[in-house]
Amino acid sequence: MRAQSLTLAVAGLALLAPTTGSLAARHAQGRPGAPAIRQEGAVRAAELLARVRECAPVSRGRYRTDDGVPATVSVCGTREAVFWTADMDIDCDGRPGTHCNSRTDALFSDTTAFTQSDGRYLSAETLPYIVVPGASALWNHRDHGVRGGSVAAVVYRDRVQYAVVGDVGPYDIIGEASYATAQALGIRPDPHGGGAPSGVTYIVFRNSLVTPIESHASAVELGERLARSFVRTTDRTAGVPGDGAAAEDPTGQAAGAVTEEDDQDPAEAWPDEEDEGDE
């Protein structure tokens, strides 16, 4: 879980047409050492982003994306899901591995808020998961059908990745996902200087549960089914706590909008390793 600002750099390549089939994944290779990029399932990013274009806030205020920056992100809701658009900081917490350990990440913790079926902590390197803010007066995820193992669709540019809720972060900061989530979306997964500065949409399906939590195949299967139903539903806000609030965009711009920084060529947005230096 991340509680300090990170210097973020965007990485990735444009995705070709998505595959079909609920468990299918499409891979594209970038420059040497670049993360794999894959589109999971047949529900397109554009369909999901169109469905969350308007925001009926369920949070009682807004979240910051990093320490020391203004609070700009609302958690929004429909009957089926809660969602927000923010940055992506890299969570490397959980079982240590080659890329996620105390040497690679100064903020590394060998625990996660939730554990897998054998009692061990989750692996940020291998399991796509997202981080939700800690429960507070601002927003309590448990009151909105979100818990450990809830399935989420994470959308970045034209890519969709299914993940589970796997960790809990600071109560006032939002926008974080595991090393594996970032890697699959073509975002540089390095906990030191990686991530995406904006334009990542997190859609968590209410009252869903992936069993066991560590089964990514189960997350894709359930996520694809719920996403397909979600994009076909037109009743966006009925029955949501906070109904009647003026619809807004969760970040003050159209959901999924590409900022000037997001629209960089991936090769330019991701500097060579030898040029980075210590952040």
Side-chain angles (χ1 to χ4, degrees):
M1 51 193 76
R2 207 66 27 178
Q4 71 177 41
S5 300
L6 298 176
T7 303
L8 300 173
V10 183
L13 296 173
L15 183 69
L16 298 177
T19 59
T20 58
S22 62
L23 297 179
R26 190 179 189 98
H27 295 266
Q29 295 299 321
R31 49 180 278 177
I37 301 171
R38 69 172 175 255
Q39 162 77 30
E40 291 188 320
V43 179
R44 294 176 178 269
E47 296 177 278
L48 288 165
L49 293 176
R51 183 67 173 79
V52 299
R53 190 170 300 280
E54 295 179 354
C55 174
V58 296
S59 58
R60 295 182 175 89
R62 299 188 179 196
Y63 286 92
R64 297 178 293 151
T65 55
D66 290 293
D67 280 336
V69 302
T72 59
V73 179
S74 295
V75 177
C76 314
T78 71
R79 281 183 177 176
E80 305 87 1
V82 295
F83 59 92
W84 57 91
T85 298
D87 64 345
M88 182 183 285
D89 292 338
I90 307 301
D91 189 327
C92 244
D93 295 343
R95 299 202 313 276
T98 303
H99 303 289
C100 290
N101 54 65
S102 58
R103 297 183 304 277
T104 62
D105 182 4
L107 299 176
F108 176 76
S109 169
D110 61 3
T111 66
T112 48
F114 308 106
T115 57
Q116 56 185 43
S117 57
D118 60 4
R120 294 189 299 167
Y121 292 110
L122 306 181
S123 169
E125 283 189 20
T126 61
L127 181 66
Y129 70 72
I130 69 167
V131 181
V132 294
S136 70
L138 184 59
W139 183 57
N140 186 338
H141 55 274
R142 294 187 293 267
D143 292 341
H144 295 266
V146 176
R147 53 184 167 164
S150 291
V151 67
V154 187
V155 183
Y156 180 65
R157 297 184 175 175
D158 56 357
R159 305 156 206 159
V160 178
Q161 169 73 12
Y162 294 104
V164 293
V165 173
D167 207 355
V168 174
Y171 74 92
D172 60 344
I173 293 178
I174 204 166
E176 188 176 1
S178 69
Y179 182 105
T181 306
Q183 184 178 52
L185 287 168
I187 295 171
R188 187 179 177 206
D190 187 352
H192 181 75
S198 61
V200 182
T201 298
Y202 305 78
I203 304 169
V204 186
F205 297 103
R206 294 173 182 259
N207 301 311
S208 60
L209 183 64
V210 174
T211 306
I213 190 174
E214 67 269 22
S215 172
H216 183 59
S218 297
V220 177
E221 183 174 20
L222 178 58
E224 170 81 354
R225 177 165 56 84
L226 293 175
R228 187 178 299 280
S229 174
F230 184 60
V231 299
R232 290 175 176 173
T233 303
T234 57
D235 184 4
R236 302 192 175 197
T237 60
V240 177
D243 279 355
E248 63 172 46
D249 182 86
T251 61
Q253 62 185 33
V258 177
T259 66
E260 181 178 350
E261 189 169 11
D262 291 335
D263 202 36
Q264 297 180 66
D265 180 84
E268 297 175 356
W270 183 5
D272 292 333
E273 293 288 342
E274 60 268 24
D275 295 335
E276 286 182 338
D278 293 333
E279 297 292 325

